[in-house]
Amino acid sequence: RAQRYWTNAVAVFCSHIFKKNHDLTKAWKGKTEQLLRVDEHDFTMRPAFGGPAIPVGVDVQVESLDSISEVDMDFTMTLYLRHYWKDERLSFPSTNNKSMTFDGRLVKKIWVPDVFFVHSKRSFIHDTTTDNIMLRVFPDGHVLYSMRVTVTAMCNMDFSCFPLDSQTCSLELESYAYTDEDLMLYWKNGNESLKTDEKISLSQFLIQKFHTTSRLAFYSSTGWYNRLYINFTLRRHIFFFLLQTYFPATLMVMLSWVSFWIDHRAVPARVSLGITTVLTMSTIITGVNASMPRVSYIKAVDIYLWVSFVFVFLSVLEYAAVNYLTTVQERKERKLQKRFSCSCGIPHSKTMMLDGNCSESDANSLAGYTRNQMVPEEEKQEKIVVHLAMSNESNSSRKRGLKGHVGLRIIQNTHAIDKYSRLIFPGTYIFFNLIYWSVFS
């Protein structure tokens, strides 16, 4: 009796384990095939083949904008792409009207829209840990097809106002094989079909807006196709370029003005300062252009940097002019000293250096001498004699002569050139900045 009891207990336990672990996949597989009738239809053909175009709704949720490349003129975006259509071949009876969800393995057995990204350089469907594809079938034959995609697409950028620019890029979706007579792509809910993650942010850009559009695209060989656009506008952050480009360039220009306050006789100081600022500006220009595409038009940053470079270069030329005029003036003074530094027959060996201007004390000291006393007759052709008259008429004529030579004396006065440069250079550069920022900002 005890043996029979334990035998029955073991049989009941084994029966319970068998029922608990019974594999129902075979039965469910047969039920699935029967419900969806995958093997009973030719899913290489679109739904309602031979009839009107099948409408396929699309909505997108942008997960992230991964990068914007100015050099390659493209952008990388990760998004959830969803398609909605009705395929009556997949309808099945249901008492509770619940849908069935499948992964990417069923996608290979049924018809799905052949949507591709126009102007795409690289794209892929994420496959970690499995293919990020979801298929949901409803009893009435409506289908939801969703996938997670990362795509790198071309973006035609205009850098005329760089870095004070805004860029508008588009991601374009289109059916590859089916024209508008067979497949009609449309945004399922208009602008509401595009949703973005609130945490999307870029280091150099501010995302101003996302919006959707649609239009027809024509190919001469195949016909008209429905094309959907995901448009987004980006505004570049200027603060980075202010710190890395504009401020250093402005400081180099201001540093070049320091030479106007250095004595023109300090040749090593002024030359080294000028060369240093010129080379630094060249380095800044090279660094900015290295991170930009080689476009054939002028950018806004090029205007600022090259105008700043011209100001720095002109400060070097200003000192070259000062140094040259100083040398010319000193050479003239040495010639005048050799010609007029002599004893002109004046008692007590009184010598006077003449530079074109005579003081009143010099005039009084020569008032009592005549031309014959001062210079012998045989030396009249070799020396210049200044006859000083103390009358009012002579004084007025001398003043008129001085006024006529004011411009020449300003040019010859090298200190005056530096003096005017201290005002002209900063004033002109400030005026340029006012125009530049008012136009481009």
Side-chain angles (χ1 to χ4, degrees), residues 336-355:
L336 289 175
Q337 184 177 1
K338 290 179 180 179
R339 295 183 66 177
F340 298 110
S341 294
C342 61
S343 298
C344 300
I346 301 176
H348 308 292
S349 301
K350 183 176 179 63
T351 303
M352 181 179 65
M353 298 294 297
L354 299 179
D355 60 354

Side-chain angles (χ1 to χ4, degrees), residues 299-339:
K299 304 182 290 294
V301 68
D302 294 335
I303 296 175
Y304 193 90
L305 291 179
W306 280 105
V307 170
S308 300
F309 182 84
V310 169
F311 270 89
V312 172
F313 187 74
L314 288 178
S315 66
V316 178
L317 295 183
E318 187 270 346
Y319 177 64
V322 169
N323 191 37
Y324 173 76
L325 293 178
T326 302
T327 304
V328 171
Q329 184 180 13
E330 290 177 353
R331 187 182 299 116
K332 288 182 179 180
E333 289 179 354
R334 285 195 297 269
K335 288 182 179 180
L336 289 175
Q337 184 177 1
K338 290 179 180 179
R339 295 183 66 177

